[in-house]
Amino acid sequence: MTNTTQQCAVASGRPSAQLALTAHPHRHPEPLAALAVSPGQAVTILHTDRRENAVVLAQPAETGAVRVLLDGHARSLRADIAAVPVTDPATALELAQQAVAWASAAQYTAADRARALAEELDEQRRRHVRQLAEIRSYAIDRHRDGDICRDGLDKFLAHFDLDPYDPRHRVVFTISGSFDVTPEDGRDAGDTEYDVREYLRIDTDQVDGVDDDTLTFDVTVDDVQARGE
């Protein structure tokens, strides 16, 4: 009699793993562990009062249990429970299809769980950043109220690796004025307007604490009139 062997590759919960479902012609009861050397093996579990078809998902672990797919659910069974290989090709094919469906669902479930954990971690980080910002603001407010000296505030912020306190005043200014220019020979009002627009500057030397790198201004010449002869 010719032995009939059917193998179907199915993916386990981990995409890299391959499960081979095999139907065997003989049905001698063996410990489940003996049939679990090849993940994907289709087996019939022999209980004292019933039989159940299953697919081996993983070899016996140190705990002495074998992971199997039973009725669409992953379960752990004793490694010494009696079992026989599935011999019916149709049954083996049905089990293979169940294993494929389970592996696909498990893969998507794992991906969804990974995304959920990543989102949870991001939210924890955002909450941590907000808490640090609130702590920094609280310490600065206490300094402004006179409860904490500047040196104490600086040491506190440095100790907790928070941004240093760097108070600033934004000054928005408008300057309006006029002056006379004695032009050189051959220069007209347009030349004077160009010189003023390009070279007139703001002198902040007498203003304390000015950050010259932040100084911005724009010169607009309203009018240049020719006066005198």
Side-chain angles (χ1 to χ4, degrees):
M1 179 180 296
T2 303
N3 293 338
T4 301
T5 302
Q6 180 183 25
Q7 293 186 334
C8 300
V10 298
S12 70
R14 292 172 292 185
S16 61
Q18 294 293 323
L19 305 180
L21 289 177
T22 306
H24 292 265
H26 52 80
R27 300 179 62 88
H28 302 297
E30 301 179 68
L32 178 59
L35 301 176
V37 294
S38 176
Q41 173 66 57
V43 297
T44 298
I45 308 300
L46 304 178
H47 299 283
T48 56
D49 58 346
R50 69 188 188 284
R51 297 187 174 199
E52 292 182 307
N53 292 327
V55 178
V56 174
L57 298 179
Q59 296 181 5
E62 295 180 357
T63 58
V66 178
R67 293 289 288 175
V68 299
L69 182 66
L70 189 62
D71 292 332
H73 300 283
R75 294 177 52 187
S76 295
L77 299 181
R78 298 193 329 270
D80 60 354
I81 193 171
V84 293
V86 170
T87 59
D88 177 51
T91 302
L93 177 60
E94 180 182 357
L95 291 172
Q97 293 171 339
Q98 292 178 9
V100 169
W102 173 85
S104 178
Q107 183 176 8
Y108 282 113
T109 299
D112 291 340
R113 179 57 178 163
R115 282 192 294 269
L117 289 174
E119 292 175 357
E120 181 179 348
L121 179 59
D122 288 342
E123 176 56 30
Q124 290 178 351
R125 288 173 176 168
R126 287 192 293 268
R127 184 164 58 249
H128 180 65
V129 170
R130 289 195 299 268
Q131 289 175 341
L132 291 179
E134 291 174 0
I135 292 173
R136 180 178 180 274
S137 296
Y138 177 82
I140 291 174
D141 288 343
R142 297 288 69 77
H143 165 67
R144 289 171 175 168
D145 292 341
D147 298 331
I148 304 176
C149 67
R150 178 59 186 270
D151 184 60
L153 174 65
D154 291 343
K155 290 180 179 179
F156 175 84
L157 297 178
H159 178 77
F160 290 100
D161 197 25
L162 299 175
D163 291 338
Y165 179 51
D166 184 21
R168 298 216 169 192
H169 295 158
R170 167 62 65 177
V171 177
V172 179
F173 60 88
T174 300
I175 296 177
S176 178
S178 65
F179 52 84
D180 288 345
V181 174
T182 301
E184 297 178 355
D185 290 342
R187 294 180 63 83
D188 58 16
D191 296 326
T192 298
E193 179 180 348
Y194 175 83
D195 285 349
V196 172
R197 189 171 57 250
E198 293 296 323
Y199 302 116
L200 184 64
R201 294 292 179 263
I202 303 296
D203 185 359
T204 60
D205 289 345
Q206 300 303 311
V207 181
D208 293 337
V210 174
D211 184 351
D212 291 332
D213 291 335
T214 66
L215 177 62
T216 62
F217 64 91
D218 179 66
V219 176
T220 300
V221 180
D222 296 327
D223 187 25
V224 177
Q225 299 176 355
R227 302 178 60 188
E229 293 296 339

